[in-house]
Amino acid sequence: MKKVTLIPGDGIGPEVTNAMKVLFKAAGVEIDWEEENAGITALETKGELMPKSLLQSIERNKVAVKGPITTPVGKGFKSINIQLRQHFELFSNVRPIKSVKGIETRFNNVDLVIFRENTEGLYSGLEMWDERLEIADSISRITRLGCERIIKSAFEYARMNKRKRVTLVHKANILKLAGATFLKAGEKISKEYPEVLMDDLIIDNMCMQLVTKPEKFDIIVTTNLFGDILSDLCAGLVGGLGIAAGINVGKDVAIFEAVHGSAPDIAGKGIANPTAVIESGIMMLDYIGEYEKAKKISAALEKTLQNKQQCTGDLGGKATTIEFTNNIINNLN
Ligand code: NAD
């Protein structure tokens, strides 16, 4: 039986990852979940924020599904998410954003994929505090190699999935060196993919265009911070954070997770929407070759989402996390 590491995470993490596990079991998915936690919950139970046993489990299994992990704001420890991404060199964060039948928003034809560079930029962890002058420096370091590999993965995805266009998003008008490095990498890589169109947009213009005409975008590739912000913005275009999933992938390890965080405002209330984690689990099933099971669960989820009454509050329904999960299970056949 395939072993997959499962990180329940903090806040709503255990509720939504458990919903995924229950649903997958009902669908006959044969996975031996190796449960290992990280973050505040792991600190409380194991005395470590990122236990060695977790890293060893991911190293062995190469595939993990992760619930959200709380990171204290403005103080405390370095984000576990960033540590995991840097440790396993998960340089590519792929986040598909697609309109869902039944979920009403201002747009009904969005179908784009965000490729966010996952290990560099403002998330490099290079911060300094000058006590005397009271100055904080946060260094945004990007490398030619880092730009080329994230842009290449976006173009490769475009080729494999017969997508037509890759849009590079940057701030090269102000960040001259970083912007030029990113754009030059785009020029170089795009030559290997003559069938895919490439264009570029400045981040502020991109935000405006996304909230007015998101349908016209196909693949978006960008640096770490811009990708993080655009992911939440784009999740909002198709129904919110409850439904947006993603994958962190490098050379040989992949960690699947929701875009959303640990949602402390609703944690423990049993009302979190598990769709995003379920979607990330479906992506994981495709990744390990369990196509039929992925298709079956995806169809049941899609059917459930079409009936608002069967959904959680964020989607306009009244169902709890458990009721929503049972509704998907009832739709499995
Ligand atoms: P958040 O994504 O946790 O929540 C933002 C809003 O969306 C909240 O109102 C929340 O209730 C709602 N929401 C999120 N997921 C939902 C779901 N599944 N169903 C229904 N509503 C949902 O963002 P935040 O509040 O800014 O961050 C909380 C914590 O999560 C922070 O510590 C942050 O660092 C962490 N975080 C972790 C990850 C990760 O582990 N990948 C990602 C983002 C934020």
Side-chain angles (χ1 to χ4, degrees), residues 36-48:
E36 288 283 345
N37 222 345
I40 287 176
T41 316
L43 184 66
E44 283 162 9
T45 53
K46 284 199 163 176
E48 282 179 288

Side-chain angles (χ1 to χ4, degrees), residues 12 66 68-71 81 85 241-242 257-266 272-273 314:
I12 60 169
K66 185 185 139 303
I69 294 176
T70 300
T71 307
N81 298 310
R85 290 164 191 168
L241 281 170
E257 66 177 338
V259 171
H260 65 71
S262 54
D265 53 339
I266 56 166
N273 183 353
D314 58 316

